Amino acid sequence: MHALLYRLGRLTFRRHWVLAAIWLAVLVAVLVLRAVLGGQYVTDYTIPGSESSQAADVLTRDFPQQSGTAGQIVFHAHSGTVADQQSAVNTAVANVGKLPHVVRATSPFATANSPQVSRDGTIAYAPMAFDVVPASLDTGYLHQLDDAVAPARHAGLQVEYGGGAGQVGQQTNDARSELIGLTCALLLLLLMFGALAAAAIPLLSAVFSVGAGLSLVGLIAAVSTVPSAAPTVATLLGLGVAIDYGLFLVARHREQLDTGTDLATSAGRTVATSGSAIVVAGGTVVIAILGLFVSGVPFVSSLGVASAIVVAVTVLAALTLIPALLGIAGKRVRARRARGSTAPVTEPDHESGVFGRWGRFVSSRPWPWAVLGVVVLLVLAIPLSALRLGQLDAGSNPTSDSSRRAYDLMSTGFGPGSNGPLAVVVQLHPGDQSKLSGLQSDLAKTADVASVSAPTTNSAGTTAVLTVIAKSAPQDAATTDLVDRIRTDVLPASKLSASLTGTTPGYVDFTERVSQRLPWLIGVVVLLAFVLLTIAFRSLAIAVKAAVLNILSVGASYGVIVAVFGWQWGSGLLGIDESLPVPAFVPMLMFAIVFGLSMDYEVFLLSRIREAYLATGDARRSVAAGIGGTARVISTAAAIMVVVFLSFVLDPDPTIKMLAVGMAAAVLVDATVVRILLVPAVMALLGDRAWWLPRGLDRIVPHLDLEGTETAGDTGAGRPPAVTPAGDRP
């Protein structure tokens, strides 16, 4: 791999304008294809085979009038009552019922003493349902919905969209977060490199690769269901890794230029050395994210595919586009003062630098520092004991959203449970009709039930539906307990073929499935990463150390999420004014992403330590040299990733805020406590044993030779000479 990447680096450097033109053409092509053929992003939490899914299928087949995704059109009279404008409301609801994809829309005044009108008469709602996932309907459809309810608004009523109706036309726009993240990244890169050309290269690579990757995800959305959160998650991850990879390559290239290496040879060596580490690191990220397929949940798997595609494109850009950009930049990639310097060329002494001295200091007293690092991670993980998995309802949305205003109106007029009605679906057999009233009575007597509707039966008399309203909000733990109680106690006692469905029961099923599969995901990802690191570094101890430390850092990031969003430590600064449960897929997605990202720094740091160890044979000196040669770059890369992630807290979706805070915390902890404290301490404790591989495995494990230190050859023949910076040599 080393020789192949060396030739690739030299080729792309020399043919830089051709490669740049190819990348530009590819980007334009996929953007155009995305605009013409791309699909809509649709969030669907359905779990195939779950009780809620099967009950929904029964309604679709036998009682289509009661099927579909439920929503509400909520009317509020600021003065007088909604009944004063009954004619306008009826007209608005009738108009909504005529829209495409609307299965039903029922006026709150369809019956006398309607339960759809609040006691004071100031709030009313019209239940409705869609035959598609409402999030798949674009802003054009939202305009149609606005036109349909216009008579009610013209009559002076406030009209809001709740439930599924509140999801119509809600397309994610992260342009502000991306702009802030890229601007902060540019400033940090300028601070590190002191040259605009060097700072711009990682950003250009990020824009090209993330843009192309997201376009491919958009094309996949045309033939498959891709969640609406997928482009945001993929962008958040893609920008971070793309800038990181560009930073590592540019830093290595500049270091080699400063030691007198010519431009083309330096580009080849950069791709051969740091590029090899990028292949391993990027491969680990992709493998970890694709491990989300273990969940068996289409929603989670789709998030993994979208993110993996973007990361794979960033790796390809790192190996081809960045050396081409290095060729275009030429000597301008160096700092201005270095370009015109006539001082003798000297190689960097990494062991004598600040970070190198720190590495020696930690490795000379490894036990106290190892204990301190582990204690810090365990303390950060303490809130994890209070983790509550659940769903987020519209009550956590910003008040600027119609869905949040509708939620508040429904809570005021009909109680919080009205925002997440539970549908009991009964498949009737001869003699079952008489049991329906008993089921209704039992449901009404169940703790935490606010009300139960009378059974509604289809024309064939084969299916009945009862609507249950909980006393608590959909995201409350009490509502989840109620769903479980109805399923395990009430429905079996009725002796009827009954099941529970609806948005809230569906999310309960989703949470249960994801929670069951999370340990499997952890096991698979850790095992795959263990195998990859064993191959990369030919060491069992290194693989075990990386797995343990990464699990500890992920646990610490989980703790930060619970502290911020569950315990509300600073959540007000993020626009969150209540304690929130953590959506079940967040820990699963975070584990896959964070575990993969942490491997980036693991590979880059340990490849330098191994390079120094092979040159010196001194375990402690190699730790100092490795940290001295990478700490500044890793610190800058981590700082960039943290600011990119934190820029996404501006996203109105609380789930994205959780991911942004959790991933930023994970990277910060990994780049400080783990890389600067625990890794040198543990490596010093392991000593020469860190690089031990059983003889039997040694014969079958392939040689990747990340840094090219175990092979040497003739540069003219295509294989670069071994690269060992002077500061890493004895």
Side-chain angles (χ1 to χ4, degrees):
M1 180 169 71
H2 185 265
L4 175 63
L5 291 178
Y6 178 78
R7 289 193 294 269
L8 177 64
R10 288 180 64 90
L11 175 65
T12 52
F13 180 89
R14 288 173 171 172
R15 302 288 186 269
H16 48 265
W17 286 115
V18 174
L19 263 296
I22 290 174
W23 267 99
L24 181 61
V26 169
L27 178 61
V28 171
V30 293
L31 286 173
V32 171
L33 287 174
R34 168 67 179 92
V36 176
L37 303 175
Q40 293 290 329
Y41 299 112
V42 179
T43 298
D44 185 2
Y45 293 112
T46 302
I47 305 294
S50 64
E51 178 179 330
S52 57
S53 176
Q54 291 175 340
D57 292 341
V58 170
L59 286 180
T60 302
R61 184 187 68 232
D62 299 335
F63 206 168
Q65 296 84 354
Q66 294 292 324
S67 66
T69 303
Q72 305 97 25
I73 307 295
V74 185
F75 304 92
H76 177 222
H78 294 286
S79 60
T81 66
V82 177
D84 297 338
Q85 308 298 335
Q86 180 173 336
S87 176
V89 170
N90 288 339
T91 301
V93 175
N95 291 341
V96 171
K98 296 175 184 177
L99 292 177
H101 303 301
V102 174
V103 177
R104 66 180 184 278
T106 306
S107 171
F109 304 109
T111 59
N113 301 319
S114 172
Q116 297 158 219
V117 180
S118 64
R119 290 183 179 180
D120 62 5
T122 60
I123 301 173
Y125 72 95
M128 62 177 300
F130 298 90
D131 61 5
V132 296
V133 178
S136 65
L137 302 173
D138 58 17
T139 53
Y141 191 93
L142 181 61
H143 294 325
Q144 296 182 51
L145 192 58
D146 288 337
D147 292 340
V149 302
R153 287 198 171 116
H154 292 160
L157 296 176
Q158 177 186 355
V159 183
E160 306 294 350
Y161 308 130
Q167 301 173 15
V168 175
Q170 297 299 309
Q171 300 297 324
T172 302
N173 185 357
D174 295 310
R176 183 173 57 165
S177 295
E178 294 166 9
L179 179 61
I180 292 174
L182 290 173
T183 301
C184 292
L186 177 60
L187 293 176
L188 288 169
L189 289 168
L190 280 172
L191 184 64
M192 176 180 176
F193 290 131
L196 181 60
I201 288 174
L203 296 184
L204 285 173
S205 176
V207 170
F208 271 67
S209 57
V210 173
L214 289 178
S215 297
L216 293 176
V217 173
L219 292 173
I220 292 176
V223 296
S224 179
T225 301
V226 178
S228 56
T232 300
V233 173
T235 300
L236 185 135
L237 177 59
L239 286 178
V241 298
I243 295 173
D244 266 14
Y245 295 161
L247 171 60
F248 288 128
L249 289 168
V250 174
R252 186 68 179 239
H253 181 60
R254 279 172 44 117
E255 179 181 316
Q256 291 169 165
L257 292 181
D258 290 341
T259 60
T261 308
D262 68 88
L263 289 168
T265 301
S266 176
R269 290 181 179 179
T270 296
V271 176
T273 53
S274 293
S276 297
I278 286 173
V279 171
V280 175
T284 305
V285 175
V286 171
I287 289 172
I289 295 173
L290 291 181
L292 292 170
F293 273 95
V294 175
S295 69
V297 178
F299 171 87
V300 176
S301 301
S302 297
L303 285 177
V305 170
S307 301
I309 288 173
V310 174
V311 172
V313 176
T314 64
V315 172
L316 181 61
L319 300 178
T320 56
L321 177 59
I322 286 181
L325 294 176
L326 291 175
I328 293 173
K331 293 183 179 180
R332 293 188 301 274
V333 77
R334 302 180 70 192
R336 183 178 296 276
R337 64 179 180 276
R339 295 176 213 163
S341 175
T342 58
V345 175
T346 59
E347 295 183 335
D349 184 2
H350 295 308
E351 289 184 64
S352 300
V354 174
F355 290 110
R357 293 196 300 271
W358 171 258
R360 287 202 308 272
F361 176 69
V362 173
S363 59
S364 66
R365 300 173 183 83
W367 275 112
W369 293 110
V371 171
L372 176 63
V374 171
V375 168
V376 170
L377 295 180
L378 291 178
V379 168
L380 289 174
I382 287 175
L384 184 57
S385 61
L387 174 67
R388 178 169 70 90
L389 298 178
Q391 65 171 329
L392 297 180
D393 56 33
S396 58
N397 291 347
T399 54
S400 57
D401 284 4
S402 180
S403 59
R404 170 62 185 272
R405 296 193 294 269
Y407 179 96
D408 292 340
L409 289 173
M410 291 290 291
S411 297
T412 301
F414 310 97
S418 62
N419 288 289
L422 317 177
V424 178
V425 180
V426 183
Q427 293 179 270
L428 299 173
H429 304 286
D432 285 348
Q433 283 283 356
S434 60
K435 300 177 184 178
L436 286 177
S437 59
L439 175 59
Q440 180 185 1
S441 176
D442 290 343
L443 288 168
K445 296 175 184 176
T446 303
D448 295 322
V449 170
S451 64
V452 182
S453 70
T456 302
T457 307
N458 66 348
S459 58
T462 59
T463 305
V465 179
L466 300 88
T467 301
V468 179
I469 303 298
K471 293 181 180 179
S472 50
Q475 73 178 20
D476 291 349
T479 304
T480 300
D481 294 339
L482 175 60
V483 170
D484 294 336
R485 193 158 49 247
I486 291 174
R487 283 175 165 172
T488 57
D489 299 335
V490 181
L491 298 186
S494 69
K495 307 300 182 184
L496 291 167
S497 178
S499 52
L500 202 59
T501 190
T503 302
T504 301
Y507 208 99
V508 170
D509 290 338
F510 178 88
T511 300
E512 181 180 0
R513 175 70 64 84
V514 173
S515 301
Q516 290 173 347
R517 296 297 181 90
L518 181 57
W520 288 97
L521 170 72
I522 293 174
V524 168
V525 171
V526 170
L527 178 61
L528 291 174
F530 176 86
V531 172
L532 189 57
L533 286 177
T534 300
I535 295 174
F537 294 107
R538 306 186 62 75
S539 166
L540 290 179
I542 293 296
V544 171
K545 174 197 68 67
V548 172
L549 295 186
N550 287 338
I551 289 175
L552 286 174
S553 64
V554 170
S557 65
Y558 284 175
V560 171
I561 286 182
V562 175
V564 173
F565 296 95
W567 293 357
Q568 295 182 267
W569 290 5
S571 61
L573 300 175
L574 306 178
I576 304 295
D577 55 6
E578 61 179 321
S579 175
L580 299 179
V582 178
F585 69 88
V586 168
M588 179 174 278
L589 185 63
M590 267 194 60
F591 181 84
I593 292 176
V594 171
F595 196 92
L597 286 179
S598 64
M599 288 300 175
D600 283 0
Y601 302 144
E602 183 80 11
V603 169
F604 283 106
L605 173 56
L606 289 180
S607 62
R608 281 296 188 98
I609 293 177
R610 178 171 173 77
E611 176 184 346
Y613 179 75
L614 292 173
T616 66
D618 187 322
R620 292 193 175 184
R621 284 191 63 194
S622 65
V623 170
I627 291 179
T630 60
R632 183 167 176 263
V633 177
I634 287 179
S635 299
T636 304
I640 290 172
M641 198 171 283
V642 167
V643 297
V644 168
F645 288 163
L646 287 181
S647 69
F648 280 81
V649 299
L650 299 176
D651 192 290
D653 187 346
T655 303
I656 300 300
K657 293 179 186 291
M658 288 184 187
L659 287 170
V661 170
M663 290 167 62
V667 170
L668 183 61
V669 167
D670 192 84
T672 54
V673 179
V674 175
R675 302 299 147 209
I676 304 299
L677 206 64
L678 282 172
V679 168
V682 174
M683 291 296 292
L685 290 172
L686 290 173
D688 294 332
R689 295 184 297 273
W691 309 106
W692 174 77
L693 188 68
R695 184 173 300 175
L697 285 178
D698 185 62
R699 288 195 296 266
I700 62 176
V701 172
H703 288 255
L704 290 187
D705 188 17
L706 293 187
E707 294 293 342
T709 55
E710 295 175 323
T711 60
D714 179 52
T715 304
R719 182 185 298 277
V723 180
T724 305
D728 296 343
R729 294 173 185 162

